[in-house]
Amino acid sequence: MSDRINYLVTGSMPAEQNQITERLDAGVEYPGVLFWQYDQAAIIMGCSQRPDEQQSARSMAAGLPIMRRNSGGGAVLAGPWMLSISVFIPTEHLIAQQNIIQIFGWLEQIWIAALEKCNVPCKGVDKALIDHSKEVSESQNLKWACYASLSHGEVVSEDGRKLVGLAQIRKKKGVVLVSGLHLYPCDWQQLSSIVVDNPEQGVQLEALNSDAQSLSGRAEDVLLPEIIQAFHEQLPDDFRVLS
């Protein structure tokens, strides 16, 4: 199992985004997977979100940088508690030829199989669960947060709390599916305090989310190499590990 943990890259969110961008710009020549764990905490906003002066001031006061990623979606508090897995697919690959719901469904099944093998109880989402999550997110004014609602291909606990979030970046020269698993809980109140100046919304977000450590009752440092190994084993044979 020790070689599996060597697949993991530890670094900053900008370094991860740079690698994703460089690989897409150069062209994805073969299927690959990048396992990444953030070495520092940061607020990550979607490409359509732009931090204003008040958000920037609050983040500076908290000593927590605000960054933007290349994919869409809402704000995320990223840090060592999150395992980021990016799956790179050439445009001509059969998987990349599927529509967005199908391709996310393919990745969802890989995540479910990997997590269940590591004794993390979970399930996929259906339209009813997605629609309900969006209603809750809107009624609680949480649409700004990535982990406030669900979309196709994402993974939840058995009682419907979000566990794995997904995003897609599609370019002419390749596709990358980016997913984030909470290994253990993040500080949801800190996220909401900085982004919307309302720590109470962090309580609401905490209730909508779960993490692998809490669901399995096993420590994050034990789970991490096991999840990496299990995920790698579920990928088709033509996928290579990237670093």
Side-chain angles (χ1 to χ4, degrees), residues 41-43 62 64 76-79 81 144 182 184-195 198-199 201-203 205-206:
I43 302 289
L64 201 64
V76 175
L77 180 57
W81 48 84
W144 57 269
H182 279 101
Y184 57 93
C186 73
D187 190 339
W188 296 104
Q189 287 184 296
Q190 185 177 49
L191 173 66
S192 60
S193 294
I194 292 174
V195 178
N198 185 352
Q201 288 201 333
V203 177
L205 285 170
E206 185 175 5

Side-chain angles (χ1 to χ4, degrees), residues 69-100:
R69 61 182 181 273
N70 297 325
S71 58
V76 175
L77 180 57
W81 48 84
M82 181 173 285
L83 171 62
S84 175
I85 300 182
S86 299
V87 177
F88 295 81
I89 309 170
T91 53
E92 66 275 9
H93 197 283
L94 288 177
I95 295 173
Q97 301 303 311
Q98 302 179 96
N99 64 42
I100 185 61

Side-chain angles (χ1 to χ4, degrees), residues 1 44 101 145 155 165 174:
M1 184 181 300
I44 312 300
I101 294 178
V155 180

